[in-house]
Every structure is written in structure tokens, then in C-alpha cells.
Amino acid sequence: MKEKSLDFSFKYGALFIIALVIVVFSIINENFMTYDNIADILRSISIVMFVAIGVTLSQIVDGFDLSVGSTVSLATVGSAALMVWYQQPLIIVIIVPLIIGAVIGLLNALLIVKIRIPDLLATLAVMYIIGGVQKTYTKGFSIYNNMRFQDGTVAKGKFTPEFLWIGQGKLLGVPVPVILMLVAVIAVHIFLTYTRWGRQLYMTGGNREAARLSGISVNKIRLAAYVLSGIFAAFGGILYASRVGSGQIDAGAPLLMEAVASVFVGYSVLGAGKPNVIGTFFGAVLIGILLNGLTMLNVPYFGFDIVKGGVLVLALAITFVHLNRKKA
């Protein structure tokens, strides 16, 4: 009976907590379950979800990408600079940051796969490097419409309506970021579950030597995972800039912990016991609901990190208790 109870709690615990939190906040505040508020919750987690997808991919190959937050920050100021400083067309504003994200992923892969630096140390170093690059490039200033440079001149470009629509617009009454997030979640889920490359990612993370002996190019698979992680984080940065209408310094710094917490909560969704994008989505939903509900209750924002940390500790505890029990 105890074993069945533990299995049930591991499999459905996260979904039960989400349902419980929704019920509690709905009772406390009648505006919680309105369409507008639900749309706001999903919109708020859309950027985190793109970052979390990148972390999920690195976790699948038994790695960890700590540089995703800095990648978001660089992509945010990069896309803003291309539009406000250099008056580039929309296609360039989107493609260049994605290329930057891919290059950062490639750098991570080089350090981890070729030089064999442990992933946490390698991506930690890259996190600081990229964080320094974005601050040096902008001289520590955020980028916004009609900003004034140190020499007294004013930036000629501005955020175009087309770019802002990506983060602020609606399609058939649904926020565009929510649509993009759902498309990404479904596409990545299909890729990981039903394609040969997705299965190779899981095989590489599960047993690298066995995967190598079965003919899988392990190093190429790991490289692809980190490159994809960088690309998804960069798209999160683009979405951030289009949502707030400016290029904020260190925009991605708070997103790292939320993304990591979402990934580890996802381990227990439906008893997956491994990184998976559907579980990551529900983890992001849980964090989004908690933060939204606390905001509606007027809880001071500086207490939010306690909630994020608590969710992460709970997710890690549940996951590793279950995994250690399976090994015993």
C-alpha cells in the first residue's frame, strides 16, 4: 500500500497540486479564474517556457545549461539594438539573435564535448562571459525608443508594431506568445517522442556508452542539444523584448531559476521520471499560477524568490526520493 501511495503521489502529485492551488486562489479571489487572468498567466510563462525547453534538452542528454539566462539577456538587447540603433528589418531582428543563441550553444558544446569541462562549470563560465558581453555592448544601459546616447544624439530607430505584435498581439483573441509557446511545446514533444533523433537524445542521456556502441554519434547529439538550447533561449529573449518594448539589461537573470524549477517539477508529471517537455510545461504552469495568485493577494514581490526556491526544493525532493527508491 505504501509503495502504491508513493507511486501515485509521484505520478499525479504535481497535477494535484496545480488543481489545489487553482481551487484555493479561485476561492480567495473571484477574478482568478477569469479568461483574462488565465491568459495573463499563460502569457507570463511563455518566455520562461522557451528557456525551460532549452534546459530540458540539455537535461535529456545528461547535461545542464546554466547559460540560458545570459543568452536571453543578450538576445533581448541584441534584437532591441538591431531595431532601435540600426533600423534593421524584422527578419534580421529575429534571425541574428537566433544565430547568436546557436553560437553560444556551440561554444558550450565545444567546452563540454571537446575539451571535456563538466557541463555545470562550462556553462557557468559562459554565463558570466555572455553576461559581461551584453553589459559591455550596451555600456550598461537598457535600449528603448528615442534613447539618448552619451554624445547627446538620439537613436533614430524604434520598435515597430510588427515586432511588438509578437509579444503583445492577439490572434483570434489568444495572445500570440501563448500560441507560439503551445506550438513549440507540441512540436518538441512530437520531436522527442516520435522521431529517431528524439529517441537518440534520450538514449545518449540514458547511457552514453551504450548509445555509442549502438552506432549513435554521441558527441553530435550532445552538440545539437546545446545548440538547440541556445536557440530556444534566444527566442525567449526576442519574445521578452517584443513584450516589454525595450532591451532590458540582465532580462534573463531571473528566468534561469524558474526554468530549472519547471524542468524538475516536470520529472514527476505523470510519473515520467525524466526530463520531458510536457512535464516542463506543467511545471511552468504551476510556478506561473503561484506567482500570479500571490500578486493578486498583494504579497510583496521580494518574497517570490522564496516561493520559486520552495517549489524547486519540493520538486527535487520528490524526484530524487522516487529515483533512489527505484534504485534500492
Side-chain angles (χ1 to χ4, degrees):
M1 182 63 70
K2 182 180 178 181
E3 289 293 316
K4 289 182 178 180
S5 298
L6 289 172
D7 286 336
F8 182 85
S9 63
F10 180 74
K11 201 168 187 179
Y12 301 106
L15 298 179
F16 175 77
I17 291 173
I18 291 173
L20 179 63
V21 170
I22 290 174
V23 170
V24 170
F25 283 138
S26 298
I27 293 172
I28 294 174
N29 192 316
E30 61 182 11
N31 295 319
F32 181 80
M33 279 300 291
T34 61
Y35 173 80
D36 287 342
N37 192 55
I38 297 300
D40 283 342
I41 292 173
L42 293 176
R43 186 191 290 112
S44 70
I45 70 170
S46 59
I47 299 171
V48 174
M49 190 60 209
F50 277 99
V51 182
I53 289 175
V55 177
T56 301
L57 292 170
S58 66
Q59 282 274 287
I60 287 173
V61 295
D62 195 27
F64 206 105
D65 190 353
L66 289 175
S67 68
V68 288
S70 293
T71 303
V72 170
S73 300
L74 184 57
T76 298
V77 298
S79 58
L82 286 167
M83 187 155 286
V84 176
W85 291 359
Y86 307 114
Q87 302 95 53
Q88 294 299 306
L90 181 62
I91 187 68
I92 298 298
V93 173
I94 293 175
I95 288 179
V96 171
L98 293 180
I99 293 174
I100 292 173
V103 170
I104 294 171
L106 198 60
L107 174 60
N108 283 328
L110 173 65
L111 295 174
I112 295 167
V113 177
K114 294 296 183 181
I115 304 180
R116 298 186 180 182
I117 300 174
D119 51 352
L120 286 175
L121 298 178
T123 57
L124 179 65
V126 172
M127 178 185 76
Y128 281 114
I129 292 170
I130 301 305
V133 167
Q134 58 112 9
K135 292 174 185 173
T136 302
Y137 177 66
T138 61
K139 295 181 173 60
F141 294 101
S142 295
I143 301 172
Y144 48 88
N145 288 344
N146 302 315
M147 70 175 294
R148 189 174 294 275
F149 297 112
Q150 290 178 314
D151 61 4
T153 60
V154 177
K156 296 180 179 179
K158 65 177 183 178
F159 286 90
T160 63
E162 294 81 10
F163 181 74
L164 294 176
W165 181 82
I166 298 173
Q168 302 175 10
K170 291 185 177 182
L171 192 62
L172 300 176
V174 181
V176 173
V178 175
I179 296 174
L180 293 173
M181 174 185 66
L182 294 176
V183 169
V185 169
I186 293 170
V188 174
H189 174 68
I190 292 173
F191 170 77
L192 292 174
T193 307
Y194 300 105
T195 70
R196 176 169 59 90
W197 300 282
R199 290 190 289 271
Q200 288 181 351
L201 283 168
Y202 276 113
M203 290 177 65
T204 299
N207 191 320
R208 197 175 302 167
E209 183 61 20
R212 186 185 66 81
L213 293 174
S214 65
I216 295 174
S217 182
V218 171
N219 287 344
K220 289 182 179 179
I221 292 295
R222 296 172 71 202
L223 183 147
Y226 281 101
V227 170
L228 287 172
S229 177
I231 291 173
F232 275 105
F235 190 81
I238 296 170
L239 202 58
Y240 192 104
S242 64
R243 181 182 172 189
V244 303
S246 64
Q248 299 289 330
I249 293 297
D250 282 337
L255 302 180
L256 175 60
M257 189 164 68
E258 292 182 30
V260 171
S262 300
V263 172
F264 280 105
V265 170
Y267 270 63
S268 63
V269 172
L270 299 178
K274 61 182 180 181
N276 66 101
V277 72
I278 298 297
T280 297
F281 171 72
F282 280 108
V285 167
L286 174 59
I287 293 172
I289 289 172
L290 285 171
L291 298 183
N292 178 269
L294 293 174
T295 301
M296 295 183 77
L297 294 176
N298 295 318
V299 174
Y301 75 92
F302 41 78
F304 287 5
D305 282 348
I306 299 174
V307 176
K308 296 176 189 176
V311 170
L312 180 56
V313 168
L314 180 62
L316 290 171
I318 293 173
T319 298
F320 283 97
V321 165
H322 178 76
L323 293 177
N324 291 332
R325 188 166 56 87
K326 287 179 67 177
K327 293 177 181 178

